[in-house]
Amino acid sequence: MSSFSQAFIPYGRQTISEADITAVESVLRSPFLTQGPAIPAFEQAVADKVDSRYAVAVNSATSALHIACLALGLGPGDRLWTTPITFVSSANCGRYCGAEVDFVDINPFTGLMDVEALEVKLKIADLEGKLPKILIPVHLTGASCDMESINRLAIQYGFYVIEDASHAIGGVYRDRAVGSCAFSQICVFSFHPVKIITSGEGGMATTNDTCLHEKMKTLRSHGITKDSDSFVFSAPGAWYYEQQQLGFNYRMTDIHAALGLSQLERLDEFVEARNIIYKQYSDTLSSAPLSLLQIPENVLSSVHLVVIQLNQGVRHLHAVLFNHLSANNVGVQLHYYPVHLQPYYQGLGFRPGDYPAAELYSSQSFSIPVHPGLSKNQIEYISNLVLKFFDEN
Ligand SMILES: *Cc1c(COP(=O)(O)O)cnc(C)c1O
């Protein structure tokens, strides 16, 4: 196939139906564009879907991570640990709260936080009196981390766990939906258009803890409460509300919530389509000198991303293959360049060599396109480009 006949294939994109459009339109014709009924409806639907007691909708996963950290009391003098192979938000949320951020290296086969490395780091931190207050494991590509082991360490060492499940709505870990918070205090989803379901921009935090739920609801809207039972002062009149702490305007609008709620109905369908594409790639690319990131046992991945890792012998072709696919209209992207190597984090003292597995991963991996609308022909086009590239190089 000639490269000129192939239109650009993005690595990810939204799948919008007529029902989604109708749902958004009906909000536009309704009395409430924001702070209306679509928000609690979307929250309840997500909580029901993932089997959590509560869900709090906000305007992004980044906002959800921020108020999750604040609700758990993170502040100056505290420590937050996450993985270097993630989007910067998983670390930045700690910095927003004035906490110190540190990283745990990854397992090279799954790309997920390495639980053995975590255990070693915790032992040392314990001796030095530098244990984290919060750990943020990231369910990279939609595959859940080993939450049972992480939870065991959380209990042993006394830290909180926020799951960054921005990639992973619709995923399952040991027969439980990601988001059920069976092994964490809070779980966060993103509804950015490249993610599994979208609300345009948006995020949600799920929890089973009544107190955390209340705190996050307050923090997303300026720290204001209108619930007279929880007022600090006696109400001088019916107009009264109280700002009891410093919050933000992180609210989701009803327009976004209606889209998210409509999309949620097709979540299982999307996850199934993505898993089929993962399987197709693993078949069509089986003879190439590369491997797909492994999905752990006991995990159903939502397959937000398909990441290829070049074998050691062809690792030097990483950038060449990346550029070759780009030049042939295939949307490729590195998920992710290690966060600790970003200038901002190097400014805090992190250096190349700090997390060798993460750095090696980023020098030999990138994502190839996956979204429910990707056709079999497109998968073959991409796979053939890769196979032909290795024949010729
Ligand atoms: C996309 C993403 C975020 C941020 O999501 P937004 O909704 O865009 O704020 C955070 N963490 C990870 C791992 C992500 O992929």
Side-chain angles (χ1 to χ4, degrees):
M1 196 186 289
S2 133
S3 58
F4 300 104
S5 65
Q6 180 62 59
F8 179 71
I9 307 169
Y11 83 81
R13 66 157 292 164
Q14 69 277 14
T15 306
I16 299 293
S17 67
E18 282 306 316
D20 294 338
I21 293 165
T22 305
V24 171
E25 191 182 332
S26 70
V27 171
L28 293 174
R29 295 182 194 285
S30 80
F32 294 102
L33 299 188
T34 191
Q35 295 177 282
I39 307 294
F42 186 30
E43 289 172 336
Q44 188 61 50
V46 169
D48 289 346
K49 184 77 193 169
V50 305
D51 201 20
S52 68
R53 278 181 79 183
Y54 306 108
V56 179
V58 286
N59 57 4
S60 73
T62 305
S63 302
L65 288 165
H66 184 193
I67 62 172
C69 287
L70 287 173
L72 288 167
L74 191 74
D78 292 329
R79 292 177 187 80
L80 177 148
W81 292 3
T82 187
T83 162
I85 300 301
T86 184
F87 186 59
V88 291
S89 297
S90 324
N92 288 349
C93 57
R95 299 296 301 152
Y96 297 157
C97 301
E100 223 175 87
V101 167
D102 203 352
F103 302 92
V104 180
D105 212 348
I106 61 162
N107 174 307
F109 302 104
T110 61
L112 302 171
M113 181 182 285
D114 183 356
V115 175
E116 281 174 31
L118 173 62
E119 192 159 4
V120 169
K121 198 176 169 94
L122 284 167
K123 272 192 190 132
I124 296 167
D126 193 17
L127 291 173
E128 294 176 343
K130 292 180 170 174
L131 284 169
K133 182 165 200 163
I134 293 177
L135 181 79
I136 305 193
V138 177
H139 303 327
L140 187 74
T141 76
S144 174
C145 294
D146 180 1
M147 292 308 299
E148 221 165 50
S149 302
I150 287 171
N151 182 239
R152 182 174 49 75
L153 292 169
I155 292 165
Q156 185 181 342
Y157 288 98
F159 57 84
Y160 298 123
V161 178
I162 300 171
E163 296 171 75
D164 185 342
S166 292
H167 298 182
I169 195 166
V172 177
Y173 170 75
R174 291 188 184 274
D175 301 322
R176 289 188 172 93
V178 170
S180 71
C181 298
F183 301 107
S184 66
Q185 278 64 52
I186 297 170
C187 181
V188 167
F189 297 120
S190 171
F191 306 126
H192 182 279
V194 296
K195 308 291 165 81
I196 308 293
I197 61 168
T198 189
S199 59
E201 293 272 5
M204 192 143 348
T206 60
T207 185
N208 297 320
D209 184 305
T210 307
C211 182
L212 292 176
H213 173 234
E214 287 304 324
K215 281 183 182 163
M216 290 193 288
K217 273 205 322 191
T218 308
L219 284 164
R220 79 167 160 194
S221 195
H222 310 283
I224 284 173
T225 181
K226 290 174 182 164
D227 172 16
S228 56
D229 291 339
S230 59
F231 285 168
V232 174
F233 301 135
S234 62
W239 59 83
Y240 185 67
Y241 58 79
E242 275 186 352
Q243 186 203 338
Q244 299 177 341
Q245 55 185 324
L246 190 61
F248 310 88
N249 183 351
Y250 281 171
R251 293 188 306 262
M252 181 182 274
T253 74
D254 280 55
I255 305 168
H256 295 85
L259 177 56
L261 182 60
S262 176
Q263 287 254 305
L264 187 65
E265 286 190 28
R266 283 176 295 147
L267 175 60
D268 295 339
E269 198 181 298
F270 289 161
V271 169
E272 197 185 335
R274 286 171 173 275
N275 273 278
I276 290 169
I277 293 168
Y278 178 93
K279 180 77 179 53
Q280 285 171 338
Y281 275 129
S282 66
D283 291 342
T284 55
L285 292 173
S286 62
S287 65
L290 55 81
S291 53
L292 304 189
L293 265 191
Q294 287 173 15
I295 297 170
E297 271 178 64
N298 302 311
V299 168
L300 171 73
S301 174
S302 59
V303 191
H304 165 54
L305 301 170
V306 172
V307 174
I308 61 171
Q309 289 207 85
L310 303 192
N311 292 353
Q312 192 173 348
V314 294
R315 191 180 296 149
H316 61 287
L317 296 172
H318 182 238
V320 188
L321 177 59
F322 187 99
N323 293 338
H324 177 69
L325 292 174
S326 281
N328 284 281
N329 279 339
V330 177
V332 280
Q333 184 59 265
L334 172 57
H335 294 100
Y336 294 89
Y337 188 71
V339 174
H340 71 281
L341 297 182
Q342 294 291 349
Y344 172 77
Y345 283 95
Q346 291 210 39
L348 297 174
F350 295 98
R351 287 290 174 266
D354 285 350
Y355 304 98
E359 291 170 31
L360 181 61
Y361 163 92
S362 71
S363 72
Q364 62 188 19
S365 309
F366 58 80
S367 305
I368 55 177
V370 56
H371 55 85
L374 199 66
S375 70
K376 228 176 155 179
N377 280 345
Q378 288 174 313
I379 294 166
E380 270 166 22
Y381 169 77
I382 295 161
S383 302
N384 286 337
L385 276 173
V386 172
L387 294 172
K388 200 152 168 278
F389 173 86
F390 284 115
D391 281 345
E392 292 167 359
N393 284 277

